[in-house]
Amino acid sequence: MPHVRPESAAQSEAEPRSGSGSGSGAESQPRSRSPEGAAGPQPSELLDLVVIPGDGIGPELVGSALEVLERTAALDGFGHRVTTIEAGAGAYRSTGRALPDGALERLRTADGVLKGPVGLPGVRHPDGTEAGLLGGLLRLGLDTFANVRPMRLLPGVTGGTRHGAGEIDYVLVRENTEGLYLSRGAGAATPHAACDQLMITRAGTERVVRYAFSLARGRAGAPADGVRRVTCVDKSNVLRSYALFRRVFDEVAAEYPDIAAEHLYADAAAHDLVARPQCFDVLVTENFLGDVLSDLGAATVGGLGMCGSLNAGVHTSYAEPVHGSAPDIAGRGLANPLSQILSLALLLDRAGRHASGDRVRGAVESALADGAVELDVRGRPAGGTASVTSAVCERLAP
């Protein structure tokens, strides 16, 4: 049986517990910056990237990340090719399509896709819903089944809790292709009632849970105790769909005896991600719950502007910030590009270039720690977008 913590509906906390074997602590290795650890494919000689600049501040953020990529590639000695595809709300407004014909085929052949935020307030479908979004098109079209969102409180950054730098360092893995969001655009509705279905499958749960455990094997454990641990977050006490998610989690956990496993109900997890985030290493959730809890986690590490994300699939992956396109400040050089730069680092990890990903994360951390990058209360850099890009690029070299 997997090493799990039983839970009743009245329980709100899970006690930190040790795993066995190599998961018993982090004393033998330093904490890895790479959220993926040793996971992911081996690097190709030429890094083939597709870029989707996006809308609003997207092109500025992507431009910043590409400057960091140029410098990183020169330092680490690898070639790269960048192909740009215009997609999103601006493309929808111009052509009636958020994603051009043939784009998915090109994305599938790339080593990775770097995407800026998309969406514009005035671009709507006839029914009033927002048009030009790419999440459903890319996640289902590319079968990027795992949404990976690292939460790490860095030096020089003030989070929304009492915790300090280094005390928050976990990864939330969210199933990306089913769950409640599979009902997007497919629910039943009348003027008096509406219904959306929550779909959980065994196959979909198995692969995302295996991804989470494999990721945990490459990490150094939770900051509080160094234990490599995967936490299953669900509402299995209420819904049968979540009960299946938990049951499959337990079955997969048995395949990883070196990794501690535990359960938390989603409401208890919301509490503990604020009260004791240092006790988490990797969390795995259904789609909707992961979407909500990852934004909660972002508030504890300095906001959405400090969070990159990776949408990982078997054959290709795409990385993107988790915030919106902020058209009100577009073109003014005010946006914080760190979320896009940290997303680039995740894409480098996924392409098998972990040393380059660590180089980028180290440069971001250094720029924040020594005060070269300072953020105001709205999360905007004091010196503007270009100043952040320059500070990070200057700190990429050892």
Side-chain angles (χ1 to χ4, degrees):
M1 292 292 291
H3 188 40
V4 296
R5 174 181 179 273
E7 179 178 44
S8 70
Q11 288 172 313
S12 63
E13 297 188 9
E15 296 298 324
R17 299 175 310 107
S18 296
S20 60
S22 62
S24 61
E27 293 82 358
S28 61
Q29 73 176 81
R31 294 194 60 77
S32 170
R33 288 195 184 103
S34 170
E36 289 219 339
Q42 294 300 308
S44 57
E45 292 185 7
L46 180 71
L47 182 65
D48 178 25
L49 291 186
V50 174
V51 165
I52 299 175
D55 302 307
I57 59 174
E60 298 167 70
L61 303 190
V62 169
S64 174
L66 289 179
E67 286 189 48
V68 173
L69 173 63
E70 289 284 346
R71 178 66 174 147
T72 302
L75 289 167
D76 289 339
F78 64 86
H80 62 287
R81 176 175 60 218
V82 175
T83 303
T84 299
I85 292 179
E86 297 295 338
Y92 180 88
R93 186 167 53 192
S94 300
T95 68
R97 296 180 62 88
L99 194 65
D101 289 337
L104 282 176
E105 287 73 16
R106 175 65 184 97
L107 299 181
R108 291 186 187 111
T109 66
D111 292 325
V113 180
L114 185 66
K115 173 186 165 292
V118 299
L120 293 171
V123 180
R124 301 278 168 174
H125 291 295
D127 65 1
T129 60
E130 192 170 1
L133 302 182
L134 298 176
L137 294 173
L138 296 182
R139 290 170 184 171
L140 296 178
L142 301 176
D143 196 25
T144 53
F145 63 89
N147 181 267
V148 183
R149 296 194 177 184
M151 300 294 165
R152 190 163 174 251
L153 183 56
L154 299 177
V157 177
T158 301
T161 70
R162 66 183 184 279
H163 300 90
E167 291 187 275
I168 303 177
D169 186 354
Y170 63 86
V171 182
L172 195 150
V173 179
R174 160 188 162 194
E175 202 291 320
N176 217 16
T177 60
E178 48 184 54
L180 186 59
Y181 289 167
L182 190 60
S183 287
R184 183 197 306 259
T190 74
H192 306 289
C195 177
D196 294 303
Q197 291 185 333
L198 196 165
M199 171 68 74
I200 298 289
T201 70
R202 172 171 291 276
T205 304
E206 283 178 347
R207 65 178 182 173
V208 76
V209 172
R210 284 199 176 94
Y211 185 100
F213 275 94
S214 296
L215 189 153
R217 271 187 174 161
R219 287 174 50 83
D225 54 15
V227 174
R228 296 184 182 92
R229 178 187 294 110
V230 179
T231 304
C232 174
V233 179
D234 59 52
K235 282 298 289 182
S236 58
N237 57 326
V238 177
L239 298 175
R240 289 180 175 178
S241 51
Y242 287 123
L244 174 61
F245 191 94
R246 177 177 288 208
R247 186 160 62 249
V248 174
F249 172 88
D250 288 349
E251 293 170 5
V252 173
E255 302 170 12
Y256 297 84
D258 53 317
I259 307 297
E262 67 179 6
H263 305 129
L264 272 180
Y265 296 136
D267 42 355
H271 171 276
D272 287 0
L273 286 171
V274 173
R276 57 179 198 96
Q278 69 274 22
C279 297
F280 292 103
D281 182 21
V282 177
L283 302 92
V284 63
T285 79
E286 174 269 339
N287 203 339
F288 167 71
L289 293 182
D291 191 16
V292 174
L293 292 177
S294 59
D295 275 23
L296 182 151
T300 69
V301 297
L304 294 173
M306 297 302 303
C307 300
S309 76
L310 178 76
N311 298 277
V314 175
H315 301 296
T316 193
S317 303
Y318 72 95
E320 61 179 343
V322 299
H323 56 69
S325 63
D328 57 318
I329 61 169
R332 298 167 60 189
L334 299 175
N336 176 8
L338 290 179
S339 57
Q340 193 80 57
I341 294 171
L342 291 169
S343 296
L344 169 67
L346 291 170
L347 204 58
L348 290 169
D349 291 337
R350 190 61 180 167
R353 300 189 178 277
H354 299 281
S356 297
D358 279 346
R359 183 189 292 277
V360 172
R361 276 181 291 272
V364 170
E365 183 173 340
S366 176
L368 289 164
D370 64 22
V373 172
E374 294 183 356
L375 305 177
D376 65 20
V377 293
R378 296 172 295 181
R380 297 179 186 175
T385 309
S387 70
V388 178
T389 309
S390 297
V392 172
C393 286
E394 289 167 4
R395 287 158 179 78
L396 287 169

